[in-house]
Structure formats: structure tokens, C-alpha cells
């Protein structure tokens, strides 16, 4: 039997505890595998910063060691002296605890002391959040800790690649996501969030009508960071909204920032609530329901993105971080007006939630990673030279390597969800009957998507980047709203589908109709690759499609472009499902062919020699096609009319948008290829007669098109 792994988790301040606590709870929950030791040092033990070690005790953790390591002064010299004091005290503690692994977080000077002491005393180090870039002295400290650490749990793909470029061993890097996301993604929608808001900001404050402010000093440019802090306070006073402002951290310059706060009377101002510490669970509620967050805390560019909360990032402290579209940077925050204008732009907005920094499954991955550590292997680190430019961590089955999309297809009969890889491979597909009511349909969509996302993260080695939804009807893709549904899907008009899916999965969501999705699928994975202008025509129960011009999908001013099935080819044709007459769909759709087949059958004119119908067998379009193939002249005439109608409609399309390619998709595509080509030869202008008509080779165009919206436009940015 393998002995339990003794893991020492060292926490230095309120911020790193929010990242370490989920891991500590996970370790504590597995006493058969791990023995947890907790070390507390740094600003946790200082009254001016809230004595935050008490919240660790309130979480029912036994603190094995408390080290007073902070030399007060809040300047550069005090930071250096604090590192020295910690290095004096840490050897005794590490000798007493004898940990197998020391878990260190982030980029604080306290963490540098921990990593230095552990490395020199031959204690294995697991470093969280290495490889990131933020643009200050924190980068140097963070990378120094990474070079001392033996194992790395990083949050983003870019951070992983940075570590690889720093010559760290690929096999000792794990892409986990941020552990705090495990807690915040599951806890931020508490029923009592208004009670929390009122307790910190007052009973008269409404949701999304207040600001959270958190600004720290930049130790490499203290003078300018204090100036920005002063300008931020002036802008907040002028903006006249209730504001929860947290005291800065203990870095050099914090004392001067507190003086500025008190000089302006912030602690007595009726619009401000100045606090030293907010418990993380409550801080999640405050950030997720705020009208805006302002400052330079990493929480703004990391955690706030999971809620779509608008953020104003001031100065250079977080310049290098990956951010979602919710972050507005004011790097040169040199005037009050500039900051005030940023507040006007951001306050009260909501953005698509982003999971750049985690998907809620970091802790299980980290615990599995810890269990895989072989204490018998050599302690000495090995570095991988030369620097690798494009690398993927290899041979560790718990590293998520496949970036994927969650695709949803809402059909008239079935509701389907698929996990689709970057290359268009459907990794796994799920299907259920489409419920008849709105409430049941939404509930099933959310359940299927949640189950698929969990399956992807835990079992299928996939990282979900977002959700793409394909549905019948007319869709506003900018707002994610289904404007008008087809008759096949009931209770599905004026439906905001983006919001519930995004709120449940904490992922960005794109929505479009099934015809447009088929065109997008061809553009990314099919015949449309590299073609600037083409048209996709879907031939199924109905007729639909999508138009791509100059590489972009055409939606139209009211989102009804490419309703190709409703192009009129006759003034007095059969009645269409849209209420008009003579549409292509009324002649050439599967439903139209089925209608004609039933009419012939009722007149006893359908069946010919070689055909039979079983008792109670439903007459379909397939019977009409079979009858025509077996020589039924009336069936042949109907199919010729259908093919001519579709061909005439496509000729109209050629004369209107002049595509370079026509792609036929759907179950009737192969049947209609020759009639369409014949119509083009007979009826199209000579300059359009050379346009190719091809049959789609994609088996699941709706799902692949929905996935392509995510894979092409996932909202990730790097600054």
C-alpha cells in the first residue's frame, strides 16, 4: 500500500487563500490519500489587513504553523526585509513538517521566500498559476518561482506554452484552470445575494447599481500608481454611485494609497463603504452582481469574466493578462475625465461570460496530478532545451489537449448536442426527443449541455470554448434571440436562448438558424473552404440555406436573408407553409413531395408494379421517388416540376448574388443535383452557366455549423 502523500499548503494573504482553499478542501476530503498541513504567514496575521487567518480557522482547517514574516513599512526595503525574515523562519518549520510536496501560489514576495526555502531543503514544489504575464515586477517573481518549482498547475493554454518556452519539463505541467473557478462557478448564484449586497452596501442599493473598486500599488512605479489611485477616487466621487472599496494589499506604496483615501474622506463619504476584507463567497456575489468593477486587481481580469461583469482595468499592473471582452483597459489613466468616461461606457453593461481561466474542474485535476507524483524519482529538475515554439504537453492523460465546441441542434423532432473538435470531428453526440413546451425544452437543453460539458472535461480530454446553437426559424444572432420559429417547433418565438445557456454553463454562446449554420459548416469544414462567395441550399423537410459573401455570412437587415425556400417561382403555385403561394418550398421540399405522394395514393395512382405499402405505413416523399424510378409517369412529372422549381429558384439566386459555388445539402441533395444543373444550363445567363453545383459531404451540417461559430469567434483576447 502506498503511504499517504503529506501536502503542505502555504497561504500568505486573502487573495491566494481564495485559490488555495478549494484545493485544501479537496485534500481534506481524501484522508486515505493525503495528509494536509497548513502554513500561514504574511499579511494573514496583520490586524490592519483584517487578521484573515481567522477565516481559515472558520473553514475548520488546523493551522500547523503561523509565521510572522512581515516587516512593516510598506516600501521596497520592507518587502526585501520581509523575504529575509521569512527565509530565517521557514527552515525550522519545513524540518518539523517534513512535507512531501509544498503547494505555493502565484507571484507574491512571500511565495518567493517559500519556494526558495523549499527548493534549498529538497522539498518538492507545486506552483499554481505559473506562466502568466501581468506586466509588473510580479512577472519576475512568478517566473523565478516557476524555475524553482518541480511541478506546475497553470490556468490557461498560453500560460502552459510560456512554461514550455521557459524550458520546463512538459510532463510536469498540468493545464487545470484556476481553482477559485471551482467555487465561484457553482456558488455565485445564491438565493441570498441581495442580503449580501445590502449587508455591505446598504439596504437601498439595487443589483447592478453599485461599483466594486480594488486598486493595488505597482511596486515598479509607485508614484504613478498613487496618482492613478487618486484620480480613480475623484472619478468615483463624481460618478455618484454607491461603491464598495477594498483596502490595497501590503505591497510597497500601500501606505501612501491609504493616506490618499483618508485625505479624501472616503471612509466617511455616504457613497463609499471602505473595507479591509470580504469573505470570498460573499465577494463572489458582490462582483457578479455589480454594475462595474474598477481598479487593477487580477480579480477583474480573471474571476469577473466568469460573470460577464464589466471591468475597467487601470494602469499597467494587469497589461499582459488574457482577458475576456468584459475588460476595458485604461492603461494611461492620467486624467479624471478619462476614467469617468470609462465608467460611463462600462457601468451597467453585461457581457458574455468567459471561462478563459477555468471550467470548474481544476481541483479534481490537481488532486489526480498530486497522486501521480512518484516520490522515488530523482528530485533534481531537468530542463528541456532548446525552447519549443509550438508544443503540446504530451503523454499525460489528464491534460486537456482538445479544444472543442459544444454544438446544439434544435430540430422539429429531436434535440441534439455534440462535442466538436477544432478539426470538425464529432467527439461525442447526444440526442433526445424535442419537448413540445418551452419550459421542458429549455430544461432539457440546459441539462444536456451541462452533462456534455462535464463529460468533456472529465472523460473525453476536451476543453469546451463555447456553445453554438442551431435552430429552425428566424434568429437575431447578435442578441441570441429566436424571433420567429418554424411550425415544427412550438412555443419557440421571441425566445432569448443565449442568456440561460450562458448563465448555466458560464460560457459564451452563439445562435443562428439551421440554414445559416449549414453554410458556416461548409465554409469551415466542407466545399466552401477558401471560397469567397458561395450559397448552401438545404433540401429536407423544408428548403433553407445560407449565403456567404466575401467570406462572411449574410444575415440581412431583419435577419431573413437566405430564406431560399420562400423565393417565389410561380404566381399561382401551391400554398406554402409561410402563407404565400408558389414558393420553392411548396414545390420541392420533402413535405411538398410527401403531399403529392399522398394525393396520388388517395387517387390510387401512386403504386406501380414492384411497389407495395404495408398496412398503416405512412406515405412519404421516398414513395414518390420510387414510383418515378419504376416508370410512374405522374410521379415523374411531379418530380420534374419540383426539380424545375428548385432549379429556377437557384438561377434567381445566381442572378442576384452571383456566387462562385452552389452546395446542395440535405436528404434530397443527390436527387436534385442534375435538375438544378439542367436548369442553370437552360435558364441562367451565359456568364453564370459555369457555376459548379456540388453535393455536401458533411454528415451533420447543422451541428458542425453551430460548432464553427464557437471555434471561429470564441471571445478570447490577449493584451
Amino acid at each position: 500500500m502506498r503511504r499517504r502523500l503529506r501536502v503542505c499548503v502555504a497561504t500568505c494573504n486573502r487573495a491566494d487563500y481564495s485559490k488555495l482553499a478549494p484545493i485544501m478542501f479537496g485534500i481534506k476530503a481524501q484522508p486515505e490519500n493525503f495528509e494536509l498541513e497548513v502554513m500561514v504567514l504574511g499579511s494573514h496575521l496583520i490586524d490592519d489587513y483584517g487578521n484573515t487567518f481567522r477565516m481559515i480557522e472558520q473553514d475548520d482547517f488546523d493551522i500547523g504553523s503561523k509565521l510572522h514574516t512581515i516587516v512593516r513599512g510598506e516600501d521596497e526595503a520592507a518587502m526585501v526585509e520581509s523575504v529575509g525574515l521569512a527565509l530565517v523562519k521557514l527552515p525550522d518549520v519545513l524540518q518539523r513538517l517534513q512535507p512531501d510536496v509544498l503547494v505555493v501560489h502565484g507571484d507574491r514576495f512571500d511565495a518567493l521566500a517559500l519556494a526558495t526555502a523549499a527548493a534549498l531543503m529538497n522539498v518538492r514544489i507545486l506552483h499554481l498559476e505559473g506562466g502568466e504575464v501581468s506586466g509588473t515586477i510580479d512577472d519576475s517573481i512568478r517566473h523565478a518561482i516557476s524555475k524553482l518549482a518541480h511541478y506546475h498547475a497553470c490556468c490557461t493554454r498560453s500560460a502552459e506554452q510560456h512554461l514550455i518556452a521557459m524550458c520546463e519539463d512538459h510532463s510536469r505541467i498540468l493545464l487545470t484552470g484556476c481553482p477559485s473557478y471551482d467555487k465561484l462557478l457553482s456558488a455565485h448564484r445564491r438565493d441570498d445575494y441581495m442580503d449580501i449586497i445590502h449587508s455591505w452596501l446598504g439596504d437601498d442599493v439595487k443589483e447592478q447599481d453599485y461599483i466594486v473598486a480594488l486598486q493595488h500599488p505597482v511596486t515598479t512605479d509607485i508614484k504613478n500608481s498613487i496618482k492613478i489611485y487618486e484620480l480613480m477616487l475623484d472619478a468615483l466621487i463624481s460618478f455618484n454611485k454607491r461603491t464598495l472599496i477594498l483596502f490595497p494589499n501590503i505591497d510597497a506604496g500601500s501606505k501612501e494609497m491609504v493616506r490618499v483615501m483618508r485625505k479624501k474622506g472616503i471612509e466617511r463619504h455616504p457613497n463609499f463603504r471602505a473595507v479591509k476584507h470580504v469573505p470570498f463567497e460573499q465577494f463572489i456575489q458582490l462582483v457578479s452582481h455589480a454594475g462595474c468593477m474598477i481598479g487593477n486587481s487580477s480579480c477583474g481580469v480573471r474571476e469577473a469574466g466568469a460573470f460577464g461583469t464589466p471591468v475597467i482595468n487601470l494602469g499597467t499592473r494587469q497589461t499582459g493578462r488574457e482577458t475576456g471582452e468584459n475588460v476595458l483597459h485604461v492603461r494611461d489613466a492620467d486624467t479624471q475625465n478619462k476614467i469617468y468616461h470609462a465608467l460611463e461606457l462600462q457601468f451597467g453593461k453585461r457581457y458574455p461570460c468567459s471561462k478563459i481561466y477555468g471550467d470548474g474542474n481544476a481541483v479534481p485535476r490537481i488532486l489526480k496530478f498530486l497522486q501521480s507524483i512518484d516520490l522515488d524519482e530523482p528530485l533534481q529538475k531537468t530542463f528541456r532545451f532548446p525552447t519549443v515554439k509550438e508544443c503540446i504537453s504530451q503523454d499525460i492523460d489528464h491534460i486537456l489537449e482538445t479544444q472543442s465546441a459544444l454544438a446544439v441542434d434544435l430540430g422539429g423532432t429531436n434535440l441534439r448536442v455534440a462535442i466538436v473538435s477544432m478539426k470538425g470531428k464529432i467527439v461525442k453526440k447526444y440526442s433526445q426527443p424535442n419537448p413540445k413546451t418551452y419550459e421542458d425544452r429549455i430544461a432539457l437543453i440546459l441539462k444536456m449541455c451541462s452533462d456534455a460539458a462535464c463529460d468533456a472535461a472529465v472523460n473525453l480530454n476536451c476543453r469546451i470554448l463555447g456553445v453554438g446553437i442551431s435552430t429552425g426559424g428566424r434568429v437575431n444572432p447578435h442578441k441570441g434571440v429566436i424571433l420567429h420559429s418554424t411550425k415544427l417547433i412550438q412555443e419557440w418565438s421571441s425566445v432569448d436562448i443565449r442568456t440561460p445557456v450562458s448563465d448555466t454553463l458560464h460560457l459564451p454562446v452563439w445562435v443562428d438558424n439551421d440554414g445559416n449554420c449549414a453554410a458556416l459548416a461548409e465554409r469551415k469544414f466542407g466545399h466552401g473552404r477558401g471560397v469567397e462567395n458561395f450559397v448552401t441550399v438545404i433540401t429536407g423537410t423544408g428548403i433553407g440555406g445560407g449565403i456567404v459573401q466575401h467570406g462572411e455570412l449574410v444575415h440581412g437587415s431583419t435577419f431573413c436573408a437566405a430564406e431560399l425556400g420562400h423565393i417565389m417561382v410561380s404566381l399561382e403555385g401551391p400554398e406554402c407553409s409561410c402563407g404565400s403561394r408558389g414558393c420553392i418550398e411548396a414545390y420541392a421540399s420533402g413535405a411538398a413531395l410527401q403531399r403529392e405522394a399522398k394525393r396520388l395514393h388517395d387517387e390510387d395512382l401512386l403504386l406501380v408494379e414492384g411497389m407495395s405499402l404495408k398496412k398503416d405505413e405512412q406515405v412519404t416523399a421516398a414513395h414518390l421517388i420510387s414510383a418515378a424510378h419504376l416508370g410512374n409517369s405522374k410521379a415523374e412529372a411531379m418530380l420534374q416540376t419540383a426539380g424545375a422549381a428548385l432549379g429556377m429558384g437557384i438561377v434567381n439566386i445566381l442572378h442576384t448574388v452571383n456566387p462562385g459555388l452552389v452546395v446542395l445539402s440535405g436528404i434530397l441533395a443527390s436527387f436534385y443535383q442534375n435538375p438544378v444543373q439542367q436548369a442553370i444550363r437552360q435558364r441562367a445567363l451565359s456568364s453564370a452557366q459555369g457555376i459548379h453545383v456540388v453535393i455536401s459531404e458533411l454528415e451533420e451540417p447543422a451541428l458542425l455549423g453551430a460548432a464553427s461559430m464557437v471555434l471561429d469567434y470564441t471571445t478570447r483576447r490577449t493584451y
Side-chain angles (χ1 to χ4, degrees):
M1 293 293 292
R2 177 176 174 174
R3 69 173 179 83
R4 296 189 300 168
L5 191 73
R6 180 175 293 178
V7 181
C8 178
V9 179
T11 172
C12 309
N13 54 61
R14 66 190 182 198
D16 78 6
Y17 182 65
S18 68
K19 317 291 179 69
L20 294 168
I23 301 172
M24 293 162 65
F25 280 113
I27 291 172
K28 188 176 180 180
Q30 296 188 25
E32 70 281 6
N33 295 322
F34 302 106
E35 181 181 346
L36 175 64
E37 294 286 350
V38 180
M39 185 192 310
V40 171
L41 63 159
S43 59
H44 272 309
L45 303 170
I46 297 178
D47 181 63
D48 287 351
Y49 293 88
N51 278 328
T52 49
F53 73 90
R54 293 196 182 100
M55 66 182 179
I56 303 173
E57 294 176 336
Q58 289 169 2
D59 285 340
D60 201 27
F61 290 114
D62 294 327
I63 299 176
S65 301
K66 295 179 184 176
L67 279 73
H68 292 269
T69 57
I70 297 298
V71 176
R72 299 305 299 272
E74 285 77 29
D75 58 15
E76 296 94 330
M79 292 168 62
V80 177
E81 291 168 355
S82 297
V83 171
L85 182 59
L87 286 171
V88 170
K89 294 186 174 184
L90 280 167
D92 289 340
V93 176
L94 292 174
Q95 279 187 331
R96 174 169 56 83
L97 297 179
Q98 292 290 310
D100 297 315
V101 178
L102 176 70
V103 179
V104 177
H105 168 269
D107 49 31
R108 305 292 301 148
F109 58 84
D110 323 69
L112 178 61
L114 282 162
T116 302
L120 291 172
M121 297 186 70
N122 292 325
V123 176
R124 288 174 168 82
I125 302 165
L126 171 62
H127 183 210
L128 305 181
E129 297 187 10
E132 297 183 16
V133 178
S134 59
T136 67
I137 188 65
D138 294 349
D139 284 346
S140 300
I141 296 175
R142 186 185 309 110
H143 300 333
I145 296 172
S146 292
K147 301 314 294 180
L148 292 167
H150 303 81
Y151 307 96
H152 310 273
C154 55
C155 298
T156 69
R157 181 70 64 181
S158 292
E160 178 193 35
Q161 291 175 345
H162 292 159
L163 287 169
I164 293 171
M166 291 163 61
C167 307
E168 292 299 307
D169 188 340
H170 304 184
S171 66
R172 294 190 174 193
I173 303 170
L174 174 64
L175 177 57
T176 64
C178 182
S180 66
Y181 270 57
D182 290 29
K183 200 167 190 177
L184 65 90
L185 290 181
S186 61
H188 87 279
R189 288 195 166 270
R190 282 171 41 172
D191 294 335
D192 62 345
Y193 70 90
M194 284 306 303
D195 294 335
I196 294 171
I197 293 172
H198 290 157
S199 68
W200 288 97
L201 288 146
D203 293 337
D204 58 334
V205 175
K206 298 178 181 178
E207 181 182 2
Q208 296 182 20
D209 197 36
Y210 63 89
I211 297 169
V212 175
L214 180 52
Q215 180 88 358
H216 299 303
V218 177
T219 55
T220 51
D221 193 2
I222 294 173
K223 184 177 180 180
N224 188 51
S225 65
I226 294 169
K227 176 187 174 185
I228 293 175
Y229 188 65
E230 186 170 5
L231 293 172
M232 179 190 77
L233 295 179
D234 290 337
L236 288 170
I237 292 169
S238 299
F239 199 66
N240 198 31
K241 287 291 183 181
R242 191 67 56 82
T243 300
L244 180 74
I245 184 165
L246 280 80
F247 278 66
N249 63 23
I250 200 170
D251 282 350
S254 60
K255 185 187 295 183
E256 289 83 356
M257 293 176 77
V258 173
R259 286 198 193 103
V260 170
M261 182 196 298
R262 287 175 174 158
K263 181 180 177 182
K264 292 184 178 293
I266 295 298
E267 291 170 293
R268 301 184 302 278
H269 196 287
N271 266 353
F272 286 83
R273 300 292 185 270
V275 299
K276 295 177 179 177
H277 169 67
V278 180
F280 184 66
E281 294 82 357
Q282 297 182 36
F283 189 62
I284 291 171
Q285 309 301 316
L286 294 167
V287 171
S288 64
H289 298 285
C292 179
M293 185 174 183
I294 188 170
N296 64 1
S297 169
S298 62
C299 175
V301 299
R302 297 169 67 95
E303 283 81 1
F307 317 125
T309 301
V311 173
I312 300 167
N313 183 58
L314 301 178
T316 60
R317 189 170 184 265
Q318 304 296 341
T319 296
R321 294 228 189 243
E322 297 170 84
T323 68
E325 62 183 81
N326 64 309
V327 179
L328 175 63
H329 290 269
V330 187
R331 295 183 182 85
D332 189 14
D334 54 353
T335 67
Q336 175 187 335
N337 287 340
K338 194 179 289 187
I339 300 173
Y340 187 91
H341 184 58
L343 285 165
E344 288 182 316
L345 289 174
Q346 288 286 77
F347 186 80
K349 281 188 177 181
R350 298 321 281 179
Y351 289 90
C353 50
S354 165
K355 291 169 68 174
I356 293 173
Y357 286 95
D359 61 359
N361 296 288
V363 172
R365 297 177 187 131
I366 291 171
L367 296 184
K368 185 176 180 181
F369 195 42
L370 284 169
Q371 285 182 279
S372 72
I373 292 175
D374 182 1
L375 298 178
D376 294 326
E377 71 178 1
L379 184 66
Q380 177 60 48
K381 285 184 63 172
T382 56
F383 298 99
R384 302 297 184 182
F385 299 101
T387 301
V388 181
K389 292 181 179 179
E390 292 185 10
C391 295
I392 297 174
S393 299
Q394 300 174 354
D395 301 324
I396 306 181
D397 60 4
H398 49 267
I399 292 180
L400 299 184
E401 294 185 30
T402 307
Q403 292 188 329
S404 308
L406 211 57
V408 180
D409 177 33
L410 284 133
T413 304
N414 292 320
L415 196 165
R416 302 184 302 153
V417 175
I419 300 164
V420 182
S421 74
M422 276 284 191
K423 295 183 178 180
K425 177 185 177 183
I426 296 179
V427 180
K428 190 169 183 179
K429 188 163 56 179
Y430 315 79
S431 181
Q432 292 284 344
N434 194 346
K436 300 300 182 184
T437 66
Y438 165 80
E439 290 81 5
D440 291 344
R441 187 175 299 123
I442 285 289
L444 182 59
I445 290 170
L446 298 181
K447 182 179 186 303
M448 289 180 70
C449 287
S450 297
D451 291 347
C454 182
D455 198 12
V458 177
N459 299 320
L460 298 176
N461 224 30
C462 295
R463 179 170 294 279
I464 301 298
L465 301 177
V467 183
I469 299 175
S470 166
T471 181
R474 190 157 62 92
V475 174
N476 181 338
H478 306 314
K479 295 183 177 180
V481 173
I482 300 154
L483 301 173
H484 303 293
S485 179
T486 63
K487 291 184 178 180
L488 295 174
I489 310 177
Q490 301 170 4
E491 298 185 21
W492 205 236
S493 296
S494 301
V495 172
D496 177 4
I497 185 64
R498 171 183 288 164
T499 299
V501 175
S502 180
D503 286 351
T504 300
L505 299 182
H506 315 288
L507 284 168
V509 176
W510 288 263
V511 188
D512 216 324
N513 75 26
D514 46 9
N516 286 336
C517 284
L520 291 174
E522 293 296 336
R523 185 183 70 176
K524 187 167 183 66
F525 303 114
H527 291 298
R529 279 180 295 183
V531 180
E532 279 283 302
N533 305 296
F534 70 91
V535 172
T536 296
V537 181
I538 303 176
T539 58
T541 305
I543 301 288
I547 300 171
V548 174
Q549 285 285 86
H550 306 297
E552 296 294 331
L553 197 64
V554 177
H555 285 101
S557 60
T558 57
F559 312 108
C560 64
E563 288 290 348
L564 308 181
H566 301 292
I567 294 175
M568 293 180 63
V569 293
S570 171
L571 295 177
E572 297 296 334
E575 185 176 354
C576 181
S577 61
C578 69
S580 184
R581 286 184 174 274
C583 299
I584 296 175
E585 189 168 294
Y587 285 102
S589 67
L593 298 183
Q594 182 182 34
R595 179 193 67 222
E596 294 302 315
K598 286 181 177 178
R599 186 175 63 79
L600 287 179
H601 183 63
D602 291 343
E603 296 173 2
D604 202 22
L605 297 174
L606 177 66
L607 299 182
V608 295
E609 186 177 350
M611 288 184 66
S612 63
L613 270 176
K614 297 179 181 178
K615 185 179 180 181
D616 299 328
E617 182 180 354
Q618 186 177 9
V619 177
T620 67
H623 293 108
L624 187 71
I625 295 172
S626 295
H629 286 162
L630 292 171
N632 186 322
S633 60
K634 291 187 178 297
E636 286 178 349
M638 289 176 180
L639 290 179
Q640 286 174 358
T641 301
L646 180 63
M648 191 182 305
I650 290 178
V651 168
N652 290 336
I653 297 170
L654 301 187
H655 291 166
T656 305
V657 296
N658 193 27
L661 179 71
V662 175
V663 182
L664 297 181
S665 180
I667 56 175
L668 298 173
S670 59
F671 173 76
Y672 280 131
Q673 186 181 24
N674 287 333
V676 168
Q677 289 174 327
Q678 183 177 356
I680 292 174
R681 286 194 299 270
Q682 294 175 351
R683 296 177 179 269
L685 295 172
S686 58
S687 57
Q689 290 182 6
I691 293 172
H692 292 291
V693 179
V694 298
I695 299 173
S696 174
E697 297 176 354
L698 302 178
E699 293 185 5
E700 297 286 358
L703 288 172
L704 291 176
S708 77
M709 292 189 287
V710 178
L711 301 176
D712 282 344
Y713 303 116
T714 186
T715 56
R716 293 192 175 197
R717 295 180 179 179
T718 303
Y719 289 90

